[in-house]
Amino acid sequence: MTKQAVIGIDIGTTSTKAVAFDAEAKPVFHYAVAYPIINTKPNFAEQDPELVFDAVLSCLKAVVQLLCDCNYELKGVCFSSAMHSLIALDKKGNLLTNCIIWADARSMAQAANLKNSVIGHSIYLHTGTPLHPMSPLPKICWLRESNPSLFREAAKFIGIKEYVFYKLYGEYKIDYSIASATGLFNIFDLNWHSDALEMAGISTSQLSEPVPASYTFSGMKRAYADKLGINADLPFVIGASDGCLANLGADAVCEGDAVVTIGTSGAIRVTADKPATDLKERIFSYVLTPEKYILGGAVNNGGIVLQWFRDNFYGAEAEVAKVNEEDIFTMLNAEAASVAPGSDGLLFLPYLLGERSPHWNAAARACFFGVHYTHGRAHFLRALMEGIIFGLYSVGMALEQTMGPVKRIYANGGFTHSDLWVQMLADVFNVEVRLTDTAEGSALGAALLGMHTLGMIKNLEDAGKLLKVQKTFTPNVEANRIYMRNYALFEDLYPKLESSFSQAVHLNHKQSQV
């Protein structure tokens, strides 16, 4: 019997990876290519679109060859991609800009103006995309204001996945999922939102045609098909965004299912059967399919905060660990576990890098509160870990107010290597937390979507039958009681400190000029 495979491609911020999965959704081959983030000026963050495109080709070619060598039949390819990217092209399809990525903050003023306006609030309620510099809407506004000649020359405004498909097929198509993260797309009628386009000063002709995640390309340009070693009519499924596909890859496809990811940053995303927006503009609402929506929020401050604490307060231990080939994070977990839940009243607001959801405040700053003579280094470490979970819980509460209770959580990301940290998550949210058996969430989600599109699985809910739960964490009632007491104070602190955050940023700016 012929072995079948589907490739999931994940176009990320610093690398692209291709993962081949067999018919049982088990990863069989993996290949990745890295590329740099380009920071030409303060607040600028870009990619070279040609480097990304070459990375896609290299990853595909390598995995296709591995499949061929092992006698697999490749059924198709499906794509995941990071959201919020923006590229301007001229009328011949030539690049006018690099790819401006989600981390770019040059449009802070435009985003702030939109956020503080009546029309901006209306645009959010229709598009589900928070008014923030990450979003293509304020980025286009910035281009129009800062470089009017380039703006006039631009015939198309597209994202990185659209650029890849334009190069391969000569078509401008955008999936509903990526479109729903632009701030330009009405998530209720699944088409471009006229008010947002008017605000940006562009027309629908300058954007790609929105299509479902199941849209399938065929007839690849011969030169690229030959280079990849595939038939030009091999199905290439357009797919969706990385965040939405991570939910699918974690089997979180039923209403009330949530995925919590903590890597460098963090996110919580809940699956819903219909779109919804938040009057307080705290969360995003993105499309997976017309029947499945992903609501949630991303936080800036995840594992990078723990890394900062390790580097600055555990320097000697880290050097010893390097010499002895020990895991410094194992030692950190043991030290944090020596302190009881609640850190004896010590709280940490984790806004080391400002914050996205739920506050969307780039000026927010981190602080410890309630410091007492009895607190030692381990208390600060545990409070830091708890504070990161509290930050995600505050997003979770905004989600519950919008679309109902979180019923269960699927966890992924680097923090899942720490049982202590995952147990904190279960205790704070007071729900069961499950770890599934894959580390390739978005690529797996893309492959599962591809399998569904190609008829290999009947519906998306069937995807869960292919995944296995590795470990389950049950909440501790007493720990939850303690955490809720601390969380009440955590929530009370932010509004009281908000104006002081801006003053702190101003002081830092003034002192840096001395």
Side-chain angles (χ1 to χ4, degrees), residues 1-4 23 71 73:
M1 185 175 178
T2 305
K3 298 180 291 185
Q4 296 181 334
N71 297 314
E73 178 191 4

Side-chain angles (χ1 to χ4, degrees), residues 108-127:
M108 282 190 289
Q110 290 76 15
N113 289 338
L114 276 169
K115 190 172 180 63
N116 294 321
S117 69
V118 174
I119 185 62
H121 182 64
S122 174
I123 288 172
Y124 164 78
L125 292 178
H126 286 85
T127 67

Side-chain angles (χ1 to χ4, degrees), residues 423 426-427 430-433 472-477:
Q423 186 63 50
D427 293 343
N430 201 31
V431 298
E432 181 181 274
V433 175
T472 299
F473 293 80
T474 303
N476 180 288
V477 174

